[in-house]
Amino acid sequence: MDDQVDRLVSRVARELGARADEVTADVEKALRRDLPALWETPEMGRTVSKNVAEYIVTGLSGLARSVEPELIEAPPGALERARRLARYGMTLDAMLRAFRLAQGVVLDRLIAELPRFTADAPLVSRATRYVVASTTGYIDRTSEQEVSAFQEERDRRRQWRLEMVNEAGVRIGTTLDVARTTQELADLAAERFADLVTVDLLDSALHGDDTPGQDRLAVRRVARAPAAAREAQPPAVAARQLTTCVDGSPTARALATGRPSRHHGHQSLDGHRIHSTLVVPLRARGSTLGVAEFCRHRNPDLYDDDDLLLAQEIAARAAIAVDNARRYTHARATALTLQRSLLPRHAPRQSAVEVAHRYLPAGGQAGVGGDWYDVIPLSGARVALVVGDVVGHGIHAAATMGRLRTAVRTLADIDLPPDELLTHLDDVVLRPSGEASDDPDEHLGETGATCLYAVYDPVSRRCTLARAGHVPPALTSRDGTVELLELPPGPPLGLGGLPFEAMEVELPEGSLIALFTDGLIEARDHDVDAGLTRLRHALARPEASLEAICDTVLETMLPDRPDDDVALLLARTHALGARQVATWDLDADPAAVARARSYVSRQLGEWGLADLAFTAELVVSELATNAIRYGRPPIRLRLIHDRGLLCEVSDGSHTTPHLRRARVFDEGGRGLLLVAQLAEHWGTRHARRGKTVWAGLSESAQFPASAFAG
């Protein structure tokens, strides 16, 4: 470069440098005209303006001092501003266009000023070529540095976003708990993305109530980060508080449209001056569940479009986890409600045993299972004790449990022995598999179950038990000794074709028998043998009542959230002695009926039931007559005075009497009809040798004249 050009360019640069503010204003005007999107984010526009102004001052200063173009350095802080523009979400194309627009404005001003300082046209021409070359080289070199810094920042942020999304996949949705899942979202975002995060769920979605007419703007605050306890000022919306979004607000629009939005501008929230906010709906499976808001008040950077995309990504992951959690919670609550509705609410009134029971659903993700228990009064003052466990969890297991419990009660009502009852129950379990639909969507998995069935007779103090794949019961004697009853093993229900075997034991009065499911003794931290040992120790502790024993057993055996559901049934045996039971052998002779009536009359007088004698004599007369006429020896009459009066006549025949209505001119056929009218309930139970026909009478029983009317 010759000296004339150098001096001319230096003079022009000094002149323009003195009016750098004018040049900067012209450049900003051009940028606002050609790149208006920069000023949609005020911070971005201000950063670009400052960057341009410093480049103009630095460039003109270098030309004024005749510094070689390749030696003119970029303004201090230019690279940091490039990184900041990347964080603001400015595109690389917009940044390069801003450089070229600024270069064009400054270049035009320089070229326009040259003729004012000389009339030498060739000199102006040479100076113009020099200015163009110098500014172009300066811009190319410095912009290349800024582009490199810009790309590094974008790559860093892209990598950071990828890590953020991956971390969200790991940290959000670790449990099937709605509150914990939303708090995990808030905690993650508050640590790395926002200064304040709130999560609100629609009240209808939170409670599983999507019926029409629900307020679609009613939300409940389920999560916030940082926690309110760390804040100087209490939050405007408390945890779990129900609020209604203002119609037309960003939150209301997000709930109504399902679209996210980004907002800049100062607003006050919980004592903080918020300057940038992202409002992102939580959507899963086509439904809006709630909304998350990400706010900044300490971090000076504004949220950009990339930040909005990141918030959408982690919110979408959180929404799926929240939806899974609420669906699980709803299904578990439904199954638990079904389960509890199918279990006995109160133990029936009977004198054979004193009972206490507990049912605990599984904690964690296992859900409600199919464990159940039952206490069933039987004829002869006996009682059946049942505990069972259906394979699986959820509504299907609970429904299967209800079906099996109903089947057990039905089979118990016909007084089947325990081993025969389990055989019929096995058929009940097998039957649905043969009726299964071919539709794979309706496949609910294999059905299996275990069961323990025991019948206790307080008269003989003998207990008959049989099990189908179930854990054996524990027996505690009056001296505190605890033992497991080694019952014959039986296959689980649902296998079919295999026999069950019963065992009979004599229980002293006051014995405690514990029936339970395997969830009581099995856990992750110990094996079955260790669980049985702990159970023995728990049952051996002296307690004031069966309820207290139940509590002690559960506290000893179970953690806060058991891995499997648990059913526990405790029964303390009672005995009916000679003062409550009277037995006579009858001859197979019609004349024995009269003697039977006299036995009854005399015995009821001793028991103070003389008012019931007439009704009881009629019932016993009919039962004894049927046994003598249609049965075979030996014939026996037994009276049991318990809560009422139980009359039993047994014989050696297996012929079952049937109730029928006699026609007007029939001479017989009215005996069982009379028994059915006089007794509260009656029935027949079969034994291996013969049968027993029984009838239960209450002290208020009266002769039903209407039974023979017309």
Side-chain angles (χ1 to χ4, degrees):
M1 180 181 69
D2 58 43
D3 292 340
Q4 287 182 312
V5 170
D6 183 35
R7 287 194 297 270
L8 177 59
V9 171
S10 178
R11 289 174 61 195
V12 172
R14 281 196 299 271
E15 177 68 20
L16 279 182
R19 294 176 297 165
D21 291 343
E22 292 181 19
V23 180
T24 301
D26 289 343
V27 171
E28 184 173 329
K29 184 177 179 181
L31 292 175
R32 286 181 179 273
R33 182 187 66 243
D34 293 352
L35 295 173
L38 298 180
W39 273 263
E40 290 179 0
T41 303
E43 288 293 331
M44 185 188 299
R46 284 192 290 270
T47 302
V48 171
S49 295
K50 184 176 181 180
N51 208 35
V52 167
E54 295 201 7
Y55 265 100
I56 291 173
V57 171
T58 303
L60 291 176
S61 175
L63 290 176
R65 290 182 289 108
S66 301
V67 179
E68 291 296 326
E70 61 272 13
L71 299 179
I72 302 176
E73 296 294 336
L79 299 184
E80 179 56 35
R81 282 190 293 272
R83 296 186 183 96
R84 190 181 305 165
L85 290 174
R87 292 195 294 271
Y88 287 155
M90 186 178 185
T91 64
L92 181 59
D93 179 66
M95 189 178 75
L96 293 176
R97 285 191 64 193
F99 270 112
R100 293 309 176 190
L101 281 171
Q103 178 192 1
V105 171
V106 174
L107 189 58
D108 288 345
R109 292 294 297 270
L110 282 171
I111 294 173
E113 291 291 328
L114 289 174
R116 293 180 57 242
F117 289 85
T118 182
D120 187 348
L123 178 58
V124 170
S125 177
R126 293 198 307 275
T128 299
R129 289 195 296 272
Y130 175 75
V131 168
V132 171
S134 298
T135 56
T136 301
Y138 174 61
I139 292 300
D140 285 348
R141 183 169 48 81
T142 55
S143 65
E144 184 178 342
Q145 296 172 358
E146 288 210 18
V147 166
S148 178
F150 184 92
Q151 291 284 39
E152 287 177 2
E153 181 64 18
R154 288 192 60 181
D155 292 343
R156 187 191 67 80
R157 285 175 60 78
R158 188 178 293 112
Q159 181 64 29
W160 173 78
R161 289 189 181 96
L162 182 60
E163 293 174 357
M164 183 89 167
V165 171
N166 289 337
E167 189 174 356
V170 174
R171 290 180 53 179
I172 299 175
T174 59
T175 66
L176 288 172
D177 181 84
V178 172
R180 182 168 176 180
T181 300
T182 53
Q183 190 61 49
E184 288 168 346
L185 166 63
D187 290 340
L188 173 66
E191 289 176 13
R192 306 187 56 181
F193 186 64
D195 298 325
L196 178 63
V197 184
T198 61
V199 182
D200 299 313
L201 293 185
L202 287 168
D203 198 50
S204 57
L206 192 60
H207 294 94
D209 184 7
D210 297 324
T211 56
Q214 287 286 329
D215 187 352
R216 301 301 299 173
L217 297 180
V219 294
R220 195 175 295 275
R221 178 65 48 85
V222 291
R224 183 185 190 274
R230 304 177 192 169
E231 302 289 335
Q233 179 175 326
V237 179
R240 310 298 296 182
Q241 181 178 340
L242 182 66
T243 59
T244 301
C245 300
V246 178
D247 194 16
S249 65
T251 303
R253 287 197 300 272
L255 292 173
T257 65
R259 296 190 182 94
S261 59
R262 179 163 52 99
H263 307 277
H264 305 309
H266 294 288
Q267 58 175 324
S268 180
L269 178 63
D270 294 347
H272 302 295
R273 191 166 175 79
I274 306 299
H275 65 83
S276 189
T277 304
L278 299 177
V279 181
V280 183
L282 300 177
R283 288 181 56 80
R285 300 178 177 92
S287 299
T288 300
L289 307 179
V291 64
E293 294 190 29
F294 308 89
C295 307
R296 281 179 177 170
H297 56 84
R298 287 190 301 267
N299 188 337
D301 294 342
L302 301 178
Y303 286 120
D304 58 25
D305 289 338
D306 288 341
D307 291 326
L308 186 60
L309 290 175
L310 173 62
Q312 286 182 264
E313 180 67 25
I314 62 176
R317 291 173 179 261
I320 293 295
V322 168
D323 191 47
N324 290 340
R326 78 180 188 104
R327 287 170 180 263
Y328 164 78
T329 301
H330 180 64
R332 187 176 189 275
T334 302
L336 185 58
T337 301
L338 176 63
Q339 173 87 329
R340 293 195 182 281
S341 69
L342 295 174
L343 291 173
R345 298 184 180 181
H346 306 287
R349 296 180 62 190
Q350 43 79 36
S351 302
V353 292
E354 175 192 357
V355 297
H357 47 77
R358 294 288 189 275
Y359 171 76
L360 270 71
Q365 300 182 8
V368 178
D371 290 15
W372 92 94
Y373 59 87
D374 210 347
V375 179
I376 309 171
L378 302 177
S379 64
R382 299 169 305 142
V383 66
L385 306 173
V386 193
V387 164
D389 185 359
V390 175
V391 174
H393 295 86
I395 294 179
H396 177 58
T400 301
M401 177 276 292
R403 186 164 55 86
L404 293 183
R405 178 173 177 251
T406 301
V408 169
R409 280 189 159 264
T410 302
L411 295 171
D413 194 50
I414 58 178
D415 270 313
L416 290 178
D419 51 343
E420 292 184 26
L421 183 142
L422 292 180
T423 300
H424 287 282
L425 194 61
D426 190 39
D427 294 336
V428 173
V429 175
L430 284 171
R431 192 171 300 123
S433 61
E435 302 171 354
S437 170
D438 294 332
D439 187 352
D441 294 335
E442 297 183 14
H443 180 66
L444 296 175
E446 297 298 328
T447 299
T450 65
C451 184
L452 172 61
Y453 185 81
V455 175
Y456 174 68
D457 187 345
V459 177
S460 64
R461 293 184 289 105
R462 302 194 69 80
C463 185
T464 307
L465 310 95
R467 62 172 174 148
H470 203 83
V471 289
L475 178 64
T476 305
S477 60
R478 300 188 68 174
D479 62 3
T481 304
V482 181
E483 62 173 323
L484 289 177
L485 294 179
E486 295 297 332
L487 305 182
L493 300 173
L495 297 182
L498 299 174
F500 299 95
E501 185 177 352
M503 184 179 82
E504 189 174 76
V505 295
E506 183 172 347
L507 301 179
E509 184 175 7
S511 299
L512 176 65
I513 185 169
L515 290 73
F516 49 90
T517 55
D518 56 5
L520 183 68
I521 57 175
E522 292 181 356
R524 297 177 183 177
D525 59 347
H526 62 260
D527 58 17
V528 174
D529 291 337
L532 290 173
T533 300
R534 292 170 62 182
L535 178 61
R536 290 190 186 97
H537 292 160
L539 291 173
R541 297 177 189 174
E543 297 288 352
S545 65
L546 289 186
E547 296 292 335
I549 296 176
C550 276
D551 293 337
T552 298
V553 168
L554 296 184
E555 291 172 3
T556 302
M557 302 296 298
L558 300 179
D560 293 336
R561 298 172 67 86
D563 298 328
D564 194 6
D565 53 342
V566 174
L568 172 64
L569 177 61
L570 299 181
R572 190 181 300 281
T573 62
H574 298 302
L576 296 180
R579 294 183 178 182
Q580 294 175 274
V581 182
T583 306
W584 301 273
D585 291 324
L586 301 180
D587 297 328
D589 181 359
V593 175
R595 291 193 296 273
R597 288 197 295 266
S598 65
Y599 296 153
V600 170
S601 178
R602 183 173 62 253
Q603 187 63 52
L604 293 187
E606 294 178 4
W607 284 344
L609 299 177
D611 293 341
L612 197 58
F614 179 71
T615 303
E617 287 179 28
L618 285 176
V619 170
V620 168
S621 177
E622 294 298 333
L623 296 182
T625 299
N626 278 344
I628 293 170
R629 180 176 297 178
Y630 304 110
R632 62 170 180 255
I635 301 173
R636 177 169 294 177
L637 167 64
R638 185 170 73 165
L639 299 181
I640 300 176
H641 181 205
D642 186 17
R643 296 181 180 275
L645 178 66
L646 187 66
C647 307
E648 296 182 344
V649 175
S650 57
D651 67 81
S653 169
H654 287 280
T655 303
T656 302
H658 295 285
L659 180 67
R660 67 182 180 88
R661 182 172 291 278
R663 291 185 293 271
V664 175
F665 298 105
D666 286 349
E667 294 183 2
R670 295 181 177 85
L672 287 180
L673 179 61
L674 177 62
V675 171
Q677 293 291 321
L678 293 175
E680 283 191 334
H681 42 269
W682 72 280
T684 304
R685 70 172 180 270
H686 290 269
R688 284 178 170 77
R689 297 179 181 177
K691 68 176 184 299
T692 299
V693 183
W694 56 270
L697 304 176
S698 67
E699 297 183 16
S700 60
Q702 297 181 357
F703 187 85
S706 59
F708 301 98

